[in-house]
Amino acid sequence: MSRDLGLRGDYPSTLAIYVVGKTKNLDWRYLPSEQEDPRTFAGRTNQGKGKRKYETGSTGTDDPWEAGKAAIAASIARRQQRLCELEGQKVNREHALAAYWETWIARQATKTRPNATRWLRDKRLLWNGTTGIGHQAWATLKSVEHITYQDFDSFFDICPPTMKLAGPRQARWPVG
């Protein structure tokens, strides 16, 4: 952009304007740095193994000069939005279930109990096992205040039948 249009400013070096299909409309795109990208897998496709996707938008004009100015303004606004998202994600991770799990398991590992090694292994399997809670996105990314009934419901749907809770009639204490 600075080379072709002579526009100056603090905008991403990968910002580009391009023609959309056979129309005269101009769109913009750029690739944010991986450190500033709040998208899953930093914008990579194929579960984080593929190429990174561009951030895109429309300039709303066919004039290159106006399109350049609109692209710069939009990319700066998008960057500010991404930084706010990253800050929110950081706060959520600090108050996620995973953070509380780490402190709890570290505290429990120091306690003495019979069969401590087996007990600790079993507890870690609850978190890291094949269907453990630690594999759920909400356990590591959401603040505990934002975990919902639907999150737990989806977790129990994938649990093996031996882990599922008994129904209300089976869970009653025997009388007498």
Side-chain angles (χ1 to χ4, degrees):
M1 295 239 323
S2 63
R3 185 188 68 209
D4 296 336
L5 298 174
L7 295 173
R8 304 205 188 286
D10 185 24
Y11 56 87
S13 61
T14 58
L15 181 63
I17 298 173
Y18 61 97
V19 178
V20 180
K22 295 180 181 181
T23 67
K24 291 184 179 182
N25 296 334
L26 296 172
D27 280 1
W28 59 269
R29 73 177 184 190
Y30 76 98
L31 197 58
S33 67
E34 288 193 56
Q35 294 82 16
E36 292 182 353
D37 202 341
R39 299 177 293 178
T40 308
F41 303 117
R44 291 190 182 279
T45 60
N46 196 15
Q47 299 293 319
K49 297 175 185 145
K51 288 186 173 183
R52 295 183 64 221
K53 289 185 177 180
Y54 285 96
E55 292 266 351
T56 60
S58 176
T59 62
T61 183
D62 59 353
D63 179 36
W65 182 262
E66 293 298 320
K69 286 199 253 181
I72 289 172
S75 68
I76 290 171
R78 185 77 59 95
R79 182 173 187 263
Q80 290 299 323
Q81 179 185 2
R82 276 194 334 271
L83 292 176
C84 287
E85 284 181 43
L86 281 173
E87 188 63 32
Q89 287 177 359
K90 181 181 174 190
V91 168
N92 281 343
R93 281 190 190 110
E94 290 172 356
H95 298 289
L97 192 58
Y100 294 109
W101 166 260
E102 292 298 327
T103 57
W104 181 82
I105 200 71
R107 198 172 56 242
Q108 295 301 315
T110 61
K111 292 184 179 180
T112 57
R113 57 174 47 98
N115 295 326
T117 306
R118 188 175 105 208
W119 183 90
L120 194 58
R121 183 192 67 228
D122 291 345
K123 296 303 175 204
R124 285 191 173 135
L125 279 175
L126 287 174
W127 187 263
N128 296 323
T130 55
T131 56
I133 295 175
H135 296 296
Q136 304 300 311
W138 53 265
T140 56
L141 300 177
K142 271 189 177 181
S143 173
V144 292
E145 297 170 348
H146 299 118
I147 295 174
T148 62
Y149 172 81
Q150 287 80 16
D151 294 328
F152 282 110
D153 194 38
S154 67
F155 169 68
F156 286 119
D157 283 345
I158 64 168
C159 286
T162 56
M163 281 184 64
K164 292 188 179 179
L165 299 174
R169 294 183 190 261
Q170 293 89 3
R172 293 188 182 158
W173 292 98
V175 179

